[in-house]
Amino acid sequence: MNTYDVTCVQHTVRLLTVSTTMANSIGAVSRRFFETIRVNGGIRGCCWKLLRGEDLRIGTLIGEDRYGNRYYQNNNYFVARHRWVEYRKDRYWDFDASLVPPEWHRWLHLMTDEPPTTAPLIDRKFIWKEHEENLSGTKRQYVPSTTTRPKIEEWIPPKQS
């Protein structure tokens, strides 16, 4: 066997190794793709999530708050993207970050590693007992009444007689 034959055999072995590795990675990607579709509610559920502006994610359910929001974590994602919330179903189109109570806000924003399910929030006087969402832009928003005289008075045309 000459050096040319040895080199051809070495290249063939490398190509077979690379093609086997590619086949394994394609299989892993396709398995992850189909699992993502399954976890997010099938094709219909994935379409609704994408239409709503959410990402298709797979994660471990960490807990649920008293308002029905569900919190997930997957450490395979980037930091600050590995914890997320799925809001309750009655707020499907009209969700807001103010729907997250303070104890879960701490966990979502990496202020603590322990979720409130394992390490409950310590009662403090500045944290209110019943969390309220932000009502700005709704019919129940707070509108203060003014006690000062207006700086500009409207012009009223004279009555014609």
Side-chain angles (χ1 to χ4, degrees):
M1 201 183 255
N2 58 21
T3 43
Y4 177 74
D5 293 336
V6 171
T7 306
C8 286
V9 169
Q10 288 174 346
H11 285 295
T12 306
V13 168
R14 278 191 208 135
L15 285 173
L16 287 174
T17 305
V18 167
S19 65
T20 305
T21 305
M22 281 182 53
N24 289 341
S25 67
I26 289 172
V29 168
S30 64
R31 277 192 301 276
R32 192 170 42 223
F33 171 76
F34 288 117
E35 183 175 356
T36 302
I37 297 272
R38 182 184 60 78
V39 166
N40 287 290
I43 293 182
R44 179 177 285 173
C46 290
C47 290
W48 279 111
K49 277 195 172 186
L50 292 173
L51 179 66
R52 188 176 163 196
E54 289 188 19
D55 295 336
L56 300 179
R57 299 180 180 179
I58 299 176
T60 306
L61 177 66
I62 300 299
E64 186 172 339
D65 63 17
R66 62 182 173 267
Y67 304 107
N69 302 323
R70 299 167 66 106
Y71 299 89
Y72 294 90
Q73 180 175 1
N74 185 344
N75 289 326
N76 294 332
Y77 295 138
F78 296 114
V79 174
R81 302 273 302 163
H82 69 288
R83 295 178 180 173
W84 68 94
V85 59
E86 288 187 1
Y87 297 101
R88 62 184 190 245
K89 295 300 180 193
D90 66 326
R91 299 305 296 258
Y92 195 75
W93 295 107
D94 186 30
F95 57 90
D96 185 355
S98 68
L99 295 172
V100 176
E103 59 269 13
W104 283 101
H105 180 271
R106 293 174 59 233
W107 180 77
L108 277 175
H109 293 273
L110 305 175
M111 294 177 188
T112 180
D113 290 333
E114 298 297 322
T117 54
T118 59
L121 186 64
I122 300 169
D123 285 337
R124 301 184 192 247
K125 63 181 178 182
F126 59 87
I127 297 177
W128 54 90
K129 299 292 182 208
E130 194 61 35
H131 174 71
E132 293 181 12
E133 64 179 286
N134 184 1
L135 299 175
S136 297
T138 66
K139 292 179 182 178
R140 298 185 314 167
Q141 70 183 353
Y142 172 71
V143 180
S145 60
T146 180
T147 58
T148 60
R149 204 176 115 235
K151 295 180 181 176
I152 300 174
E153 295 182 14
E154 62 184 277
W155 178 73
I156 301 173
K159 293 186 180 180
Q160 301 217 359
S161 41

